[in-house]
């Protein structure tokens, strides 16, 4: 029961930070948002590095347009469980046993957002981890090209960096 309550608080907090809901509002179905009807092409590029119980992820969100977005939320899901304690970058929050979400900040049309760096502790050392990166929320904008914002990366515990 505690994990459900924590997830609800994290979800509501992220939605307030992202401007999707006013403070104190119910975190029910997402509203369309002020950007409903606009078209943007959110994309992510980055690297994943696994060594021992540490997973390093560096990514840069981008928007190939045609419209700018005031904010979006990228979701990172893992095949391995996260350690209980995490020190996350600003604008990021844990959203489950294997999941972290981060706000991108403003995404100008045909431009890049802020660089996001994560150093995630895993519950135990693993020989490999599957990392899934996708857009969790984009303010209701339509995105006709999901191929560049949905990535699956297999990172082996070799110390090598894997690009996406």
């Amino acid at each position: 029961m505690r994990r459900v309550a924590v997830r609800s608080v994290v979800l509501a907090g992220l939605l307030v930070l992202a401007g999707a809901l006013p403070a104190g509002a119910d975190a029910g179905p997402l509203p369309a948002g002020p950007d409903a009807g606009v078209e943007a092409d959110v994309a992510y590029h980055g690297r994943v590095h696994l060594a021992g119980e540490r997973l390093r992820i560096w990514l840069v969100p981008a928007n190939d347009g045609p419209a700018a977005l005031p904010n979006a939320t990228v979701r990172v899901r893992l095949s391995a469980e996260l350690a209980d304690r995490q020190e996350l970058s600003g604008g990021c929050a844990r959203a489950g046993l294997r999941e972290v979400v981060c706000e991108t900040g403003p995404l100008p049309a045909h431009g890049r957002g802020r660089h996001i760096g994560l150093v995630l502790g895993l519950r135990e050392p693993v020989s490999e981890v599957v990392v899934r990166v996708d857009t969790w929320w984009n303010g209701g904008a339509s995105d006709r090209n999901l191929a560049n914002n949905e990535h699956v990366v297999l990172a082996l515990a070799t110390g090598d960096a894997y690009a996406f």
Side-chain angles (χ1 to χ4, degrees):
M1 182 69 162
R2 182 173 176 238
R3 291 176 197 231
V4 173
V6 170
R7 285 186 199 147
S8 298
V9 169
V10 169
L11 174 61
L14 284 172
L15 294 175
V16 169
L17 284 174
L21 292 175
D26 177 40
L30 292 175
D35 300 314
V38 301
E39 183 178 342
D41 184 12
V42 177
Y44 304 104
H45 304 283
R47 296 186 308 264
V48 175
H49 174 271
L50 176 63
E53 295 175 14
R54 292 273 178 237
L55 177 67
R56 297 177 189 277
I57 302 170
W58 177 80
L59 64 90
V60 179
N63 178 7
D64 294 331
L69 291 175
N71 203 355
T73 305
V74 60
R75 174 174 56 177
V76 177
R77 294 177 288 160
L78 309 176
S79 63
E81 285 190 21
L82 292 164
D84 291 336
R85 298 179 63 96
Q86 299 289 327
E87 289 189 36
L88 298 173
S89 302
C92 296
R94 188 170 177 164
L97 292 174
R98 301 175 179 201
E99 193 170 344
V100 173
V101 292
C102 299
E103 66 177 350
T104 64
L107 293 174
H110 308 290
R112 294 181 174 188
R114 69 180 182 94
H115 295 202
I116 299 169
L118 297 168
V119 179
L120 302 174
L122 301 178
R123 183 169 301 281
E124 58 189 38
V126 294
S127 60
E128 64 184 35
V129 66
V130 176
V131 179
R132 298 177 189 281
V133 176
D134 62 7
T135 300
W136 193 45
W137 176 81
N138 70 359
S142 64
D143 187 339
R144 295 182 195 190
N145 181 11
L146 298 179
N148 60 2
N149 70 342
E150 294 180 353
H151 302 282
V152 179
V153 181
L154 174 63
L156 303 176
T158 58
D160 295 322
Y162 297 90
F164 61 92

